[in-house]
Amino acid sequence: MRSGERIARIVEERDASPAEREIREINSGIYAFAVEGLFDAVRAIAAENDQREYYLPDLVAIFRHRGRNVETLTMESANEVLGINSRLELAEVSRVVRQTKNAELMAAGVTIEDPATTYIDRGVHVGADTVIHPGVSLEGETVVGDACEIHSGVRIVSSRLGDRVTINNHCVIQYATIATEAIIGPFAHLRKDANVRERARVGNFVELKNTVLGPGSKSMHLAYLGDARIGEKVNVGAGTITCNYDGVRKSQTIIEDGAFIGSDTQIVAPVTIGRGAYVGSGTTIREDVPPGALAVSAGKQRNIEGWVEKKKETVKG
């Protein structure tokens, strides 16, 4: 309650008079004290209340009685001082903080299609004209450039996206860097130190870890690229795996500019595939491939005529 315009004391609701309960100003429970004289005042607190407890807010009346200066700060929104005493209240306060962040971004030119399902941490920066679809989580110190598009179900953690990047549905991106005009996903996984360069493409069910995918290069389907340095305009076929771990150490794969990696290729690191080289489908690479060479490891195909009918006869017999 106040005396004139200045605060006189703080009263617990159960100890308040009917007139005091009509007051619409409440105590948030946040205090800032000058240390001088504080502990002496604390010793003067008495348990003179209905619950026989010692109330820290009694310091207001004690300070006023001793002629000490007491000031208050009134918040414009009660959301600034919401208390948290249960998981339900924690969820409610989290929602308020989240929607405040979303409102700030939308005011700055970001399109958020469904703020209720968009989770963006306070430390995240999103550039103007970016579009964020429902069900997106942007976490940690993530930075998203201008005019990006992030589709539904995407989770991005402490990563950096350049301008005009597209992240398709249901990708997980953690501690990665994605350069201007790159396209990721759907269903891609970029792990720590993945670095996707300008206009590169990472497609369905492709995983990158500690790998550079060079400008204009692409890996569109069902691949694992770990501990690799991939140059410019490289095509990595479906089912390609960099075999980077031998049970003791991680080794690096180098694929130079313009190389073509056929589908279902296993690349056993450490190895280098030279500039402009081709690797045939189904090949296992265990040695360096010179620039401009074709590498194959599969034997010649052999067809056995009539094998199916003979097999059926064997089963009948």
Side-chain angles (χ1 to χ4, degrees):
M1 62 184 299
R2 293 181 180 273
S3 175
E5 292 298 320
R6 304 188 67 187
I7 187 168
R9 65 192 182 102
I10 298 173
V11 182
E12 288 281 328
E13 182 179 13
R14 67 184 299 165
D15 299 317
S17 67
E20 290 170 339
R21 290 177 183 174
E22 293 298 319
I23 298 172
R24 309 313 301 166
E25 189 175 23
I26 65 167
N27 170 35
S28 69
I30 301 171
Y31 312 95
F33 293 99
V35 175
E36 183 181 356
L38 172 61
F39 297 102
D40 182 57
V42 168
R43 284 189 284 269
I45 296 174
E48 297 175 356
N49 52 70
D50 184 61
Q51 298 187 87
R52 309 305 299 168
E53 294 179 347
Y54 293 92
Y55 291 158
L56 185 64
D58 288 350
L59 285 174
V60 171
I62 294 170
F63 273 45
R64 288 299 307 277
H65 179 73
R66 295 182 177 185
R68 301 287 299 275
N69 189 41
V70 180
E71 298 290 343
T72 60
L73 178 64
T74 302
M75 308 304 297
E76 293 183 2
S77 171
N79 288 338
E80 296 286 341
V81 293
L82 288 175
I84 301 173
N85 296 293
S86 68
R87 294 177 187 269
L88 180 61
E89 291 175 349
L90 175 61
E92 176 60 23
V93 171
S94 296
R95 184 193 66 79
V96 169
V97 172
R98 187 170 69 250
Q99 295 311 317
T100 299
K101 175 67 174 182
N102 289 347
E104 291 173 358
L105 289 174
M106 288 187 286
V110 177
T111 296
I112 300 178
E113 290 189 344
D114 186 8
T117 63
T118 302
Y119 295 74
I120 302 178
D121 286 353
R122 293 296 303 175
V124 171
H125 173 81
V126 183
D129 298 320
T130 287
V131 177
I132 300 176
H133 294 270
V136 169
S137 293
L138 305 179
E139 304 172 22
E141 300 300 319
T142 292
V143 176
V144 179
D146 295 341
C148 295
E149 185 165 15
I150 303 176
H151 288 269
S152 298
V154 170
R155 180 182 180 224
I156 303 176
V157 180
S158 294
S159 297
R160 182 173 292 271
L161 279 61
D163 297 337
R164 300 180 298 284
V165 169
T166 300
I167 310 295
N168 289 309
N169 300 70
H170 304 294
C171 294
V172 177
I173 298 168
Q174 301 165 294
Y175 310 100
T177 301
I178 303 171
T180 299
E181 297 182 354
I183 300 175
I184 309 297
F187 298 100
H189 186 187
L190 273 58
R191 293 165 55 197
K192 183 175 174 59
D193 295 326
N195 188 331
V196 179
R197 299 287 173 81
E198 296 84 357
R199 300 175 304 283
R201 299 186 64 183
V202 176
N204 297 267
F205 302 102
V206 174
E207 180 180 0
L208 271 63
K209 189 273 293 184
N210 188 30
T211 288
V212 176
L213 185 65
S217 292
K218 58 184 180 179
S219 176
M220 298 303 294
H221 317 280
L222 302 162
Y224 171 68
L225 305 174
D227 298 296
R229 297 296 177 267
I230 301 171
E232 185 174 356
K233 296 183 179 178
V234 171
N235 183 88
V236 179
T240 295
I241 300 171
T242 58
C243 306
N244 57 322
Y245 184 52
D246 63 4
V248 178
R249 67 182 67 84
K250 300 287 180 71
S251 298
Q252 188 177 78
T253 294
I254 298 174
I255 303 175
E256 296 181 348
D257 295 350
F260 183 95
I261 310 301
S263 298
D264 194 31
T265 294
Q266 297 83 49
I267 305 173
V268 183
V271 71
T272 296
I273 297 172
R275 185 182 183 93
Y278 269 59
V279 175
S281 297
T283 298
T284 299
I285 297 295
R286 293 187 172 89
E287 300 175 359
D288 290 351
V289 180
L294 168 65
V296 293
S297 65
K300 183 178 179 181
Q301 179 175 322
R302 188 164 61 99
N303 299 327
I304 301 176
E305 299 286 345
W307 182 89
V308 174
E309 291 300 322
K310 292 178 181 179
K311 180 68 175 178
K312 289 179 180 178
E313 292 297 326
T314 302
V315 172
K316 287 180 181 179

